[in-house]
Amino acid sequence: PLGNNVDANKLPVKEIPPAVGYYTNVLGFELVSKEEKHAVLQRGDVKIGLSVTMQDPEQVSVYFSVTNVEALREEYQSKGISPSPMREDKRNGKTYRIFFAKEPYGVCFCFGCEAPKEELKTS
């Protein structure tokens, strides 16, 4: 995961227990470890940390590169997350399929993957 002005190992939350519940029950992460003010979670090969900090979660955004962005969006929509519509963005000469979702504390997630290249047609 890549974040702006935030360490993905210390995503800001207000309280650890309800945040762990959201990340495990809704976002599909598994709890690796938990302390009073910090928790580590994992989904597949992605590991993140949640921390009670002074940072405002509303000012944080994180990008996750995923293998099947459409399937993940459908999964989250079925869990009531209300993700944004799917869209394509161009960055550094590549096209990405992405969607956004906001967690209850305000952290904005962007999930995406590189769009498949269109096959060149020859005559």
Side-chain angles (χ1 to χ4, degrees):
L2 303 172
N4 71 333
N5 302 324
V6 68
D7 180 350
N9 295 310
K10 295 181 182 175
L11 294 175
V13 297
K14 297 178 189 216
E15 297 176 77
I16 292 297
V20 166
Y22 179 81
Y23 279 78
T24 57
N25 296 321
V26 179
L27 296 182
F29 282 85
E30 293 182 16
L31 181 62
V32 174
S33 66
K34 185 172 94 168
E35 299 171 11
E36 183 181 348
K37 294 192 178 227
H38 186 76
V40 176
L41 301 116
Q42 186 166 354
R43 178 172 174 160
D45 61 353
V46 174
K47 193 177 276 190
I48 62 171
L50 307 177
S51 291
V52 176
T53 68
M54 298 303 292
Q55 190 171 13
D56 179 5
E58 295 273 341
Q59 303 303 314
V60 174
S61 63
V62 180
Y63 173 80
F64 289 93
S65 177
V66 299
T67 55
N68 189 336
V69 71
E70 286 86 1
L72 184 64
R73 185 181 179 286
E74 286 177 19
E75 174 190 332
Y76 286 172
Q77 190 165 12
S78 74
K79 292 181 177 182
I81 292 180
S82 300
S84 73
M86 189 70 67
R87 73 180 207 204
E88 289 191 353
D89 275 11
K90 292 187 186 276
R91 297 268 188 256
N92 301 321
K94 295 181 181 178
T95 302
Y96 294 87
R97 302 238 340 119
I98 64 169
F99 74 90
F100 296 90
K102 202 169 194 181
E103 56 102 90
Y105 291 110
V107 175
C108 181
F109 295 114
C110 177
F111 299 94
C113 67
E114 191 172 346
K117 294 180 180 162
E118 293 184 35
E119 291 184 27
L120 296 176
K121 295 182 181 179
T122 57
S123 321

